[in-house]
């Protein structure tokens, strides 16, 4: 309730009247109220004063937006959501987005700027930051057996290194292999292969293969034979069996055979 003016006079009672003029505010919200008070005594003497009351909207709207996010590069970026309110009128909200490239192809930062404006031009600005990262390494789709043995006698060869890979964000992931020969002798070769899959952001995954090729080595495979060959992979029919005590397989047990037999037991001859 607006207060009424008070007036006094040195000789008589005073009558106070008020005239009010209300105009709409400049932005369609609020008003300007002009009140003119006139005090008149019994002799008709009068004086006037004016009061101006302005009701205006200087309070910006409230604006609520989602919190900052960190997402993996294969996750869906959520839509721009907000809740805007104003105590005096409607609110218009605009959303602008800026993409800042990251350190690699699959990473970036999305900066969303929300601007809420009421009918009187009061503005509230808030910012949401969404970080897109790639922290997931590639995956192997196909790999050879972790350990394998091939036989040359069966027509096998040491297979060439090969894997297939996939990545959640990078369609051009790559792989490389480092080979180390662990065993290389007359009977076999064993190779260690370490495969490394890598995406554009440097995430890596590894797989290790041990591949052995047993060569086709001819020789005597009879351990009881005098010419047994530990490196032989198949018997070529050359095994020799000697008589008891005939160490040199000459068909007779002689001095040299006996000396050899004594030497096996640590006995020296003079």
């Amino acid at each position: 309730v607006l207060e009424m003016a008070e007036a006094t006079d040195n000789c008589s009672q005073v009558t106070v009247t008020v005239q009010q003029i209300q105009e709409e505010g400049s932005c369609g919200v609020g008003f300007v109220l002009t009140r003119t008070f006139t005090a008149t005594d019994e002799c008709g003497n009068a004086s006037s004063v004016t009061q101006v009351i302005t009701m205006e909207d200087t309070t910006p709207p409230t604006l609520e937006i989602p919190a900052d996010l960190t997402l993996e590069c294969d996750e869906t970026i959520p839509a721009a959501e907000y809740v805007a309110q104003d105590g005096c009128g409607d609110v218009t909200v605009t959303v602008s987005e800026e993409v800042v490239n990251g350190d690699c192809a699959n990473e970036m930062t999305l900066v969303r700027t929300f601007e809420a404006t009421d009918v009187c031009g009061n503005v509230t600005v808030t910012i949401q930051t969404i970080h897109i990262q790639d922290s997931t390494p590639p995956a192997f789709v196909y790999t050879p057996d972790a350990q394998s043995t091939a036989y040359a006698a069966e027509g096998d060869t040491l297979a060439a290194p090969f894997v297939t890979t996939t990545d959640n964000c990078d369609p051009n992931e790559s792989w490389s292999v480092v080979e180390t020969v662990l065993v290389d002798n007359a009977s076999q070769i064993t190779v260690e292969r370490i495969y490394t899959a890598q995406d554009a952001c440097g995430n890596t995954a590894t797989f290790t293969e041990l591949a052995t090729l047993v060569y086709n080595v001819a020789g005597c495979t009879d351990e009881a034979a005098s010419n047994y060959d530990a490196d032989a992979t198949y018997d070529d029919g050359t095994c020799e069996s000697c008589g008891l005590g005939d160490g040199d397989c000459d068909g007779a047990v002689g001095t040299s055979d006996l000396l050899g037999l004594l030497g096996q037991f640590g006995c020296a001859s003079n």
Side-chain angles (χ1 to χ4, degrees), residues 226 240-254 256-258 261:
S226 60
E240 297 178 354
S241 297
C242 303
L244 182 62
D246 187 7
D248 55 8
C249 294
D250 60 358
V253 178
S256 62
D257 298 322
L258 294 176
L261 183 60

Side-chain angles (χ1 to χ4, degrees), residues 5-16 39-41 45 47:
E6 296 180 357
T8 60
D9 187 73
N10 61 339
C11 296
S12 65
Q13 296 292 322
V14 180
T15 301
V16 179
T40 306
D41 63 15
N45 301 304
S47 60

